Amino acid sequence: MVSNKVRIGLIGTGRIGQVHAATVAASANAELTWVCDVFVEGAEKTAAQYGGKATNDPAVVFASGEVDAVIVASPTSTHIDLISAAIDAGVHVLCEKPIDLDITRVDGLRAKANAASVKIALGFNRRFDQQFSEIQARVAAGDIGKLEQVTIISRDPAPAPKAYLEVSGGIFRDMTIHDFDMARFFVPNIVEVSATGANSFSDDIRGIGDFDSVVVTLKGDGGELITIINSRHSAFGYDQRLEAFGSEGALFAENVAPTTVKLYTNKVVEARNPYMEFFLERYAFAYSNELEQFITSIGSGEVLNPTFEDGRAALILADAAQLSATTGKSVKVDLS
């Protein structure tokens, strides 16, 4: 029996790799045929749970003839080489953010990526969140008139482990980069970046020369202002909100809780359970929708996911924010 499912190889079986493995396994339109990790035990365990063959060598996956696409969920330092290898093998690729921490390496692959016949998608999954995508569509449809301001609030419940933070590239390239892409979802052409960083609570983060709290202001070429508020901790759970403000009104996306039940007593009103504690829970639908759009794009040839150029633009904005926060000056940017 011939399957019409897209055959997918997964490279990287860490935390985000497990999300992708489960998402592929749950899809009616995809199957996991290969799993790869330099620590082959992780690949074998994931393959046993979700299907496919295991290896510790990406070259085996690309040469197998048994993958139509790969999902790259390995460390950032491997992304450039794996995207390049996928292009050479004629295999579509969905790569987690960022493309790389060094814009010169990204630009070194740019011509090859843009000339590729395969789909290259970047894992900015928040574009596929039900709330954010609805607001963007309604802004585009003119529901609130001319867009003037966007406010994005993104706070993690707690910092990632120090070992991860030390190699993450810093808060702007690791965390805020999702918000830079969300800003461009609404205002594609950003021309100026101003950022302020602080060390409000974490000595570990201060010790590695990074910020634990940041505020960024972006200016669009039409005068739009986008404010991004980030923190590496939040006492009340995963804080993910967005507001779009226009000449004729506003649209709001509030935090998501596990239930809508509220408690009313003589001591408290409208008491609810805390917000979701982890990004995997909050964005479960977004990851699933991201994969389905990627699969659809392979069959249709349409551009449905964030592209290599979107990944490059987000990194340019992250670099500009780092420079601004360090120097105290706004930074002009050119995303072309």
Side-chain angles (χ1 to χ4, degrees), residues 263-280:
L263 171 67
Y264 292 75
T265 71
N266 64 344
K267 297 180 179 178
V268 66
V269 295
E270 295 192 3
R272 300 171 62 184
N273 287 333
Y275 297 123
M276 291 182 176
E277 186 65 20
F278 202 35
F279 75 94
L280 303 183

Side-chain angles (χ1 to χ4, degrees), residues 99 115 214 234 240 275 280:
I99 300 173
V214 298
S234 171
Q240 300 287 288
Y275 297 123
L280 303 183

Side-chain angles (χ1 to χ4, degrees), residues 33-50:
T33 54
W34 276 93
V35 181
C36 177
D37 198 298
V38 292
F39 302 104
V40 72
E41 296 83 2
E44 291 169 344
K45 182 178 179 181
T46 302
Q49 183 174 1
Y50 296 108

Side-chain angles (χ1 to χ4, degrees), residues 93-148:
V93 56
L94 170 59
C95 182
E96 274 301 325
K97 62 77 192 171
I99 300 173
D100 196 82
L101 298 179
D102 185 347
I103 192 63
T104 60
R105 295 195 72 217
V106 174
D107 284 343
L109 185 63
R110 188 183 188 191
K112 181 176 182 177
N114 289 338
S117 59
V118 298
K119 287 288 179 185
I120 303 173
L122 263 290
F124 291 118
N125 65 293
R126 295 182 190 179
R127 292 195 186 208
F128 301 101
D129 175 73
Q130 308 102 303
Q131 299 184 91
F132 300 159
S133 61
E134 178 182 340
I135 290 180
Q136 192 273 343
R138 293 179 69 172
V139 168
D143 285 10
I144 59 170
K146 181 182 181 295
L147 182 65
E148 297 175 2

Side-chain angles (χ1 to χ4, degrees), residues 45-118:
K45 182 178 179 181
T46 302
Q49 183 174 1
Y50 296 108
K53 303 173 184 178
T55 181
N56 64 353
D57 186 356
V60 172
V61 177
F62 290 120
S64 70
E66 296 174 332
V67 293
D68 304 305
V70 293
I71 298 175
V72 175
S74 49
T76 298
S77 60
T78 67
H79 291 181
I80 288 283
D81 291 341
L82 290 172
I83 294 172
S84 182
I87 295 170
D88 291 341
V91 171
H92 305 284
V93 56
L94 170 59
C95 182
E96 274 301 325
K97 62 77 192 171
I99 300 173
D100 196 82
L101 298 179
D102 185 347
I103 192 63
T104 60
R105 295 195 72 217
V106 174
D107 284 343
L109 185 63
R110 188 183 188 191
K112 181 176 182 177
N114 289 338
S117 59
V118 298

Side-chain angles (χ1 to χ4, degrees), residues 2-288:
V2 178
S3 172
N4 291 323
K5 294 183 177 181
V6 173
R7 302 170 301 169
I8 292 179
L10 173 66
I11 303 176
T13 61
R15 182 174 64 176
I16 195 63
Q18 293 302 306
V19 175
H20 286 298
T23 302
V24 172
S27 173
N29 301 307
E31 61 179 330
L32 197 60
T33 54
W34 276 93
V35 181
C36 177
D37 198 298
V38 292
F39 302 104
V40 72
E41 296 83 2
E44 291 169 344
K45 182 178 179 181
T46 302
Q49 183 174 1
Y50 296 108
K53 303 173 184 178
T55 181
N56 64 353
D57 186 356
V60 172
V61 177
F62 290 120
S64 70
E66 296 174 332
V67 293
D68 304 305
V70 293
I71 298 175
V72 175
S74 49
T76 298
S77 60
T78 67
H79 291 181
I80 288 283
D81 291 341
L82 290 172
I83 294 172
S84 182
I87 295 170
D88 291 341
V91 171
H92 305 284
V93 56
L94 170 59
C95 182
E96 274 301 325
K97 62 77 192 171
I99 300 173
D100 196 82
L101 298 179
D102 185 347
I103 192 63
T104 60
R105 295 195 72 217
V106 174
D107 284 343
L109 185 63
R110 188 183 188 191
K112 181 176 182 177
N114 289 338
S117 59
V118 298
K119 287 288 179 185
I120 303 173
L122 263 290
F124 291 118
N125 65 293
R126 295 182 190 179
R127 292 195 186 208
F128 301 101
D129 175 73
Q130 308 102 303
Q131 299 184 91
F132 300 159
S133 61
E134 178 182 340
I135 290 180
Q136 192 273 343
R138 293 179 69 172
V139 168
D143 285 10
I144 59 170
K146 181 182 181 295
L147 182 65
E148 297 175 2
Q149 299 175 346
V150 179
T151 302
I152 302 167
I153 297 173
S154 179
R155 300 185 178 106
D156 286 349
K162 183 179 178 182
Y164 171 84
L165 294 174
E166 287 175 335
V167 297
S168 69
I171 190 170
F172 294 115
R173 298 181 186 93
D174 173 56
M175 181 179 178
T176 321
I177 199 163
H178 272 294
D179 303 308
F180 290 136
D181 183 70
M182 183 54 56
R184 292 191 62 252
F185 194 32
F186 288 87
V187 183
N189 193 21
I190 305 296
V191 297
E192 188 173 351
V193 180
S194 179
T196 301
N199 295 101
S200 301
F201 67 91
S202 173
D203 290 337
D204 281 347
I205 293 176
R206 181 195 300 272
I208 62 175
D210 195 13
F211 304 113
D212 56 43
S213 306
V214 298
V215 176
V216 183
T217 301
L218 309 173
K219 182 181 288 187
D221 63 349
E224 308 94 338
L225 294 175
I226 304 99
T227 303
I228 298 170
I229 301 170
N230 284 165
S231 175
R232 287 286 195 184
H233 76 167
S234 171
F236 49 87
Y238 199 38
D239 189 14
Q240 300 287 288
R241 289 174 280 158
L242 188 146
E243 173 194 314
F245 174 83
S247 59
E248 303 299 326
L251 291 159
F252 300 86
E254 300 296 341
N255 274 316
V256 176
T259 173
T260 60
V261 174
K262 298 178 182 179
L263 171 67
Y264 292 75
T265 71
N266 64 344
K267 297 180 179 178
V268 66
V269 295
E270 295 192 3
R272 300 171 62 184
N273 287 333
Y275 297 123
M276 291 182 176
E277 186 65 20
F278 202 35
F279 75 94
L280 303 183
E281 299 169 320
R282 171 62 181 80
Y283 288 113
F285 175 85
Y287 280 108
S288 177

